[in-house]
Amino acid sequence: MNSRLITTTEAVDPVFMFLFGACLLLLVGITAAMLFFIVRFHRSRAPRPTSTADNNLWLEIVWTALPTILVLAMFYYGWYGYLALRRVPPDALPVTATARMWSWSFSYPNGATSPKLFVPVGKPVRVELVSLDVIHGFFLPAFRVKRDVVPGMKNHVWFVAPKAGSFDLFCSQYCGTAHSSMISTVEALPEAEFAAWLKQGSSTTATRPDGRKLAQEKGCLGCHSLDGTPGVGPAFKGLYQSQVEVMRAGKPLTVTADEAYLKESIRQPEALIVKGFQPIMPADPDLTDEQLEALVEFIKGLK
Amino acid sequence: MSHIQQPQTSFWNDTGKTGITSWIFSTDHKRIGLLYFYSTFGFFLVGVLLGLLLRIELMAPGRTIMGPQTYNALFTVHGVVMIFLFIIPGFQGSFGNLVMPIQIGARDVSFPRLNLFSWWIYMIGAVVILTSLFTGGGPPDTGWTFYVPFSSRTGTNVSLAVLGVFIIGFSSILTGLNFVTTIHRLRAEGMSWGRLPLFVWSLYATAWVQILATPILAITLVLVAAERLLGTGLFDPATGGDPLMYQHLFWIYSHPAVYIMILPAMGVISDIIPVFSRKPIFGYKMIAFSSIAIAAAGSLVWGHHMYTSGMSDTAILVFSFLTFIVAIPSAIKVFNWVSTLYRGSISLEAPMLFALTFILLFSIGGLSGLILGAAATDIHVHDTHFVVGHFHYVIFGGSGFAFFAAMHYWLPKFYGRRYAEKPAILAWALMFTGFNITYFTMQLLGMQGMPRRYYDYLPEFATLNLVSTVGSWILAGGLLIMLINLFRGLWWGPPFEGNPWGGATLEWSIPTPPPTENFIEEPLVTHGPYDFKGTGIP
């Protein structure tokens, strides 16, 4: 680990402490004053008001000036901490996070991809955020990092994992039915282990793709079930060669789910919409023809 | 329902007619006020029911009583109902209408028929929103924020729901116009701006926000509908649009809208605390001025909803700074309310208990708002349960409890009958306890990183979610006792006559319930709203 690399957590937590401390002090002060006045000047003790004072210029000046100074200090520390979240260390490892309804996929410069975000311990990581459909949110509570993943926009975050372990990764921007299951993890590995994983990850993608693994990684299974239970999209099980009622260009139509149908539905999801489902499936422009074949073979095998 | 007979004809039985038409076509501000009260409060109860269902679903991880799509629709409808059908129209429509004209010494508002029309528009909008739940693709599932591109793609009934909100917007604009005109033109002789009750000042500031900000929401919602129906592509990047433009437009209205919700509540508190302390409000001018300052500065802070959106860092710098500036007038109000108690003679009756609770809960909500206003800390808690907790502290703990305070303080005046004191205090105690259990745990959950709008969650969040759900039952229990006690009292309770609280504002100088014309002869105002010497109470 770099000797003086401030992690995002170390940058944000002191700001939390300062703000909580100041807020608690104010809250305790206000509450204590209120309770004391209520008890001391309760009608049973104070049958009549003993003052008719209705303003005091000096008090007003004091309690306008003091909060002003306090909130400006809060603003300054809040901004200062935020800058640390934006200043990406120059040697950061670039990773691309691709969000779609409702899964994450992470790709590395050497071509390796993974549904989990593997990172080396102690080395800063810069995550480019890409959305294929609606707005998602990339949220790592353990590292105090969050950024929306907006379609058509180039957003990024950076963080560094100070120790090995598994950390939650949530989608923080509401994105539809399975928003709350759009969860992954950051897997922080010691640098040597990470290097080995990265090498292996890139070599497996070079061999013949595995349809089941692809369906998992590309997020298909978020909506299309393997056991026939209805999901957000039609179930994969028993789909091949079944009769499907679809809408094509607004006209109802019954077709057989053959190989051509499956391929068209993956490449151009919006062309044919199965009756009873929403036109929400995104196409994946990165899907190679080889991967498409593997996916279709996999779906054909689910009887 | 029967009423205490008054020597003067009260507004309850002036027309000689009874039945529904004497209400829904009445142009009397008091009748319209009660129409608004029952319709908005009715929707509040619907929203409460939805909220309780949401909490039951979140009681344990995984499926408890409903599926994810139902949950998403329910939190959307909970938000839309509570915000657009209850708290935005609630204060202005109910207590603004009931009390404001009397407090300024007027017979009615400037445009009584427009006032009735506003209620009708509100009801039509409400019916359209309700229709959207049961027709087409089913209830909207976008959250009350309708963020694009999700809202332009989902197959649920978003277009009809935004049409309903669009229609209700006109009700809000017209009420705002009506109130500004009324407060400018119809003040009685001697009712100078320096003698306006602070509730009226707060309504005045609110009315300007309604007039200026609501049209922006209307335009934004029309654009969302055009996006869905015509594919205009203004917000969808796939067609060259910008999703962040929508967020800016939405929050330019929707942030000032929270001041529409909270300002009248602050006005209610400023009226109640001096009465039950028998002491003039401390810092009248500062409180009145801070209402205007909040309304003005609050219109420039919308971007603090968008720190994580990808908006430029410069914008975040500016919006964070302005957000902290808005905190100052709110702090001034709190200090002045607390100082009003000093050396008073404090009576802890139900309206006062709710009012004091407002100060505490609003302070907690406001202070947690500082955590959200600071750029560094907002990034961690943005879009988590911390925000849900914060918002409910401000709007439910603040506006909601102030609404309850107003119900206990003013409704007996209009019914001539009152509730029982002990059950009211029991109800308050339960609601106060339940409220803090429900929403403080949400703030803790947010600190731990639980995102909001989550149907399901990881096991590490289970305990606090269970605690929060149990809290919601205590809160609901208190609410139920309050409702039974209050309405039983108003309809069948002992008589409420004269000026039992000892208020010095004009509504306490006229018969109870008020006669149709409010004042027998036009009043001449000779003292301020918190000058208690003339109230006949030692």
Side-chain angles (χ1 to χ4, degrees), chain B residues 34 37 95 98 406-407 409-416 486 490:
Chain B
L34 286 174
F37 172 73
F95 294 107
L98 279 172
M407 284 162 69
Y409 182 61
W410 276 316
L411 287 182
K413 172 76 203 172
F414 290 89
Y415 278 83
L486 187 75
L490 293 177

Side-chain angles (χ1 to χ4, degrees), chain A residues 37-295:
Chain A
F37 292 162
I38 291 169
V39 173
R40 173 64 188 82
F41 303 111
H42 190 267
R43 199 158 293 169
S44 58
R45 273 179 214 85
R48 274 169 230 283
T50 47
S51 157
T52 50
D54 60 0
N55 73 80
N56 181 317
L57 184 63
W58 280 108
L59 268 179
E60 298 288 353
I61 290 172
V62 166
W63 66 44
T64 306
L66 283 183
T68 306
I69 295 167
L70 187 64
V71 296
L72 288 180
M74 289 176 166
F75 159 71
Y76 174 76
Y77 281 111
W79 176 248
Y80 191 75
Y82 175 75
L83 284 181
L85 297 179
R86 304 298 299 154
R87 221 178 277 125
V88 187
D91 59 336
L93 170 78
V95 182
T96 301
T98 306
R100 65 158 67 80
M101 294 155 110
W102 294 278
S103 67
W104 295 99
S105 163
F106 302 95
S107 54
Y108 295 79
N110 70 347
T113 61
S114 159
K116 290 182 177 184
L117 177 53
F118 284 88
V119 298
V121 169
K123 191 168 160 47
V125 181
R126 177 191 166 111
V127 188
E128 302 294 337
L129 303 169
V130 177
S131 168
L132 297 182
D133 38 50
V134 300
I135 305 177
H136 300 278
F138 179 94
F139 178 29
L140 300 176
F143 304 113
R144 319 287 188 255
V145 160
K146 183 182 290 127
R147 194 80 168 169
D148 287 3
V149 189
V150 185
M153 241 180 121
K154 286 193 169 117
N155 278 350
H156 68 268
V157 295
W158 82 272
F159 67 95
V160 52
K163 60 179 198 297
S166 178
F167 306 92
D168 295 330
L169 189 164
F170 295 124
C171 174
S172 55
Q173 186 62 269
Y174 174 72
C175 58
T177 311
H179 167 53
S180 65
S181 45
M182 192 169 159
I183 293 178
S184 181
T185 50
V186 168
E187 302 291 340
L189 304 175
E191 204 146 357
E193 253 178 78
F194 174 78
W197 174 86
L198 192 62
K199 213 172 150 203
Q200 185 207 17
S202 64
S203 58
T204 44
T205 47
T207 60
R208 200 181 138 64
D210 172 352
R212 177 181 289 270
K213 204 170 151 227
L214 269 174
Q216 178 83 51
E217 285 182 10
K218 294 284 183 186
C220 312
L221 303 186
C223 304
H224 305 281
S225 80
L226 296 179
D227 58 4
T229 50
V232 174
F236 279 161
K237 187 181 176 178
L239 174 60
Y240 184 57
Q241 294 300 11
S242 67
Q243 297 292 308
V244 192
E245 286 182 55
V246 295
M247 299 287 283
R248 185 191 279 278
K251 290 199 188 71
L253 189 72
T254 304
V255 296
T256 307
D258 52 12
E259 199 172 307
Y261 167 84
L262 292 179
K263 281 186 178 168
E264 187 187 8
S265 297
I266 296 171
R267 279 286 183 223
Q268 293 169 281
E270 70 289 350
L272 287 169
I273 303 301
V274 181
K275 203 180 153 201
F277 294 94
Q278 305 295 337
I280 52 173
M281 178 171 151
D284 183 357
D286 297 336
L287 196 75
T288 63
D289 286 341
E290 213 184 5
Q291 288 174 322
L292 179 66
E293 291 289 344
L295 263 178

